[in-house]
Amino acid sequence: MLATVIHAARDIRVEEVPDPELSGSGADAIVRVVAACVCGSDLWPYRGVTPTDAPHRIGHEFVGVVESVGADVEHVKTGDFVIAPFYVCDGTCVNCRNGVSTSCVQGSWWGGSDRSGGFADGGQGERVRVPLADGTLAVVPGPVGDDEIPGLLTLSDVMGTGHHAAVSAGVGPGDSVAVVGDGAVGLCAIIAAKRLGATTIIAMSRHADRQALAREFGATHIVEERGDEGVAAVQDLTGGIGADRVLECVGTKESMDQALRSARPGGMVGFVGVPNGGPELPVRQMFNRNVGVNGGVAPVRGYIDELMDDVRSGAIRPGRVFDLELPLSQAAEAYAGMDERRATKVLLRP
Amino acid sequence: MLATVIHAARDIRVEEVPDPELSGSGADAIVRVVAACVCGSDLWPYRGVTPTDAPHRIGHEFVGVVESVGADVEHVKTGDFVIAPFYVCDGTCVNCRNGVSTSCVQGSWWGGSDRSGGFADGGQGERVRVPLADGTLAVVPGPVGDDEIPGLLTLSDVMGTGHHAAVSAGVGPGDSVAVVGDGAVGLCAIIAAKRLGATTIIAMSRHADRQALAREFGATHIVEERGDEGVAAVQDLTGGIGADRVLECVGTKESMDQALRSARPGGMVGFVGVPNGGPELPVRQMFNRNVGVNGGVAPVRGYIDELMDDVRSGAIRPGRVFDLELPLSQAAEAYAGMDERRATKVLLRP
């Protein structure tokens, strides 16, 4: 089959790889990928920020149809349309039961070894062997229309991740919320904040096309300024004190600083941007103003069922973050387009 | 009148100072101090960790009786028995209304200038001028028995601060809670955790007398180990994963590290230990395990009314943290006793 392989920085190839097969575990499934996409975090190896020592599969967001299942798989059936979160989980361990399936004791990641030593394909390919299929895959009931696919695909990562930022920050009815980052996750965080009842939603964005989408998703205000001016602009919109909740959806030192200082005393920062390079948090600044920080790698598997109905009904439209669709064979162009900011998020069709 | 003055590290004197007088603001009150105490944070200047450049008043925890009030004071009356929180606040600004009275826009601290330029005495003295008396002081209704005074005095700081750790960590019914720190605040955090419904409460303590008080307050387990062994011991008591909530009541790099690693994936650290020297928080470690950090300088004024009934009824007995009582004239011995860990917390009687 064909699958995407990263060979080095800026060297993305779609090439022939072995077809996946069911392992002897009895717990896995083979999924034919209907749609996959490129994540902002895929750009770190693409840009060489994280090194690529040897060629490896890449991609961790996909939806598809189950082609076969192991003998012990109970909930997922051949022919089911499924959403895969960006990680593997069993759904039954104590951490999964606590809502932190990204810390599953049997968990693993796409494009690498699962806990039993088998290989789980990357998501940007024609097929994927899915370990722990009952825990990992969410089944979408009934027939799935082609126009539903972009929205459902966002539940594999970006919509659930934006939701996690909002949940972690404790967004509730009547809150003021500032969102740092206007990538796909930041835009989905706006959807999540509105869905949870926020009434003032400030998108910190400098790009006209993303500002427009932010407004469509529920942003009530746009702030283009950054640093001290950005903090002042958020304060001006929030009675002089800062936002009740701030959603940090980037992961740099600058974005976290912007988030912490944009929160009001007693406010909370929900953070989901992968910390890039390890800036640490200024504990004294947090202490003096009672600004908390909560979040992390988003346990999106647990959010899929909650969000799926709103996606299918059209109540929320996260699929709008895809502004380019390409065949899988053009994966290299998908990376280049996102890297050069010609596209917010690219959908790939095998 | 007599008041405590710190002249330099380990140089605490009780000396004659000017009697306080009502300012022209109309909003202040003069309180005759009935009881005051020494805070763990008073030990930082005492030990020279924070420098004392010039002699200044010290002490920020006291209860007393109102002797006179300014013309515009409405809620506090001459003769009222009052509790002062460890800071001054107006009770009406947006931050106070948001429950963060430690960030009051008119706020100030004992032993320094208030926002109008007047002097607010330190708490360890015979009398105190209290700015913004209506916002700052909590009135204790009815006659106050002498045996009630230790418990009521803890509401000026340590009981409210321990409660803030528990509230910030989101402690609720059935939770497992680990408490890092066995000083007065840590011991009060145990009371708070039990009061909020925690069922497993792990006190991390190496001192037999404090362990005994921890158990009296509701600790179900004691862990003497620290570092990796401490983390392992907490995990052993919590199904192998760590505590749902961890209350950090010290403020050192080591104690915060202990707290972060003792929390389970998806857990929350409530922190109230004054960060000592600025260790920063490891954001990547927090991200990978979804461990949040929330808390800060505790807005105890807002907790006094909520906790007062339980203190007066005896449902909680935080006054037990006082294990030494001295006349004000022996303030220097009070500091020495706490510094040398001969006492957990010392009550001073003018």
Side-chain angles (χ1 to χ4, degrees), chain B residues 203-319:
Chain B
M204 306 194 77
S205 170
R206 289 176 163 178
H207 302 87
D209 53 340
R210 299 182 184 199
Q211 292 174 2
L213 199 51
R215 286 197 184 276
E216 181 183 318
F217 283 170
T220 55
H221 303 82
I222 304 287
V223 165
E224 295 198 343
E225 295 88 346
R226 296 185 187 172
D228 291 344
E229 292 180 0
V231 172
V234 171
Q235 289 177 341
D236 282 348
L237 295 168
T238 53
I241 55 169
D244 297 321
R245 316 287 162 188
V246 183
L247 312 186
E248 198 291 301
C249 304
V250 182
T252 63
K253 180 174 175 58
E254 291 72 20
S255 62
M256 182 57 91
D257 176 71
Q258 189 78 69
L260 287 168
R261 294 199 292 138
S262 297
R264 68 161 170 84
M268 180 73 91
V269 173
F271 83 119
V272 293
V274 183
N276 171 29
E280 306 297 20
L281 300 179
V283 64
R284 184 74 198 211
Q285 177 186 333
M286 293 165 61
F287 181 87
N288 288 347
R289 301 178 67 243
N290 272 279
V291 171
V293 174
N294 192 31
V297 55
V300 300
R301 176 63 186 88
Y303 298 137
I304 294 177
D305 293 336
E306 175 183 355
L307 297 170
M308 192 192 300
D309 287 346
D310 281 358
V311 170
R312 300 195 82 181
S313 74
I316 60 175
R317 301 183 63 209

Side-chain angles (χ1 to χ4, degrees), chain A residues 71-96:
Chain A
D72 299 330
V73 175
E74 293 184 3
H75 303 304
V76 175
K77 295 180 174 53
T78 299
D80 281 347
F81 190 98
V82 291
I83 302 169
F86 63 84
Y87 55 90
V88 170
C89 59
D90 66 14
T92 57
C93 79
V94 62
N95 290 327
C96 285

Side-chain angles (χ1 to χ4, degrees), chain A residues 94-95 98 100 103 164 241 264-266 268 271-275 279-284 287-288 290 292-297, chain B residues 94-95 98 100 103 164 241 264-266 268 271-275 279-284 287-288 290 292-297:
Chain A
V94 62
N95 290 327
N98 279 334
V100 202
S103 291
H164 187 57
I241 55 170
R264 68 161 170 82
M268 179 74 89
F271 83 118
V272 293
V274 183
E280 307 297 21
L281 300 180
V283 65
R284 184 76 199 209
F287 181 86
N288 289 348
N290 273 279
V293 174
N294 191 32
V297 55
Chain B
V94 61
N95 290 327
N98 279 335
V100 202
S103 292
H164 187 57
I241 55 169
R264 68 161 170 84
M268 180 73 91
F271 83 119
V272 293
V274 183
E280 306 297 20
L281 300 179
V283 64
R284 184 74 198 211
F287 181 87
N288 288 347
N290 272 279
V293 174
N294 192 31
V297 55

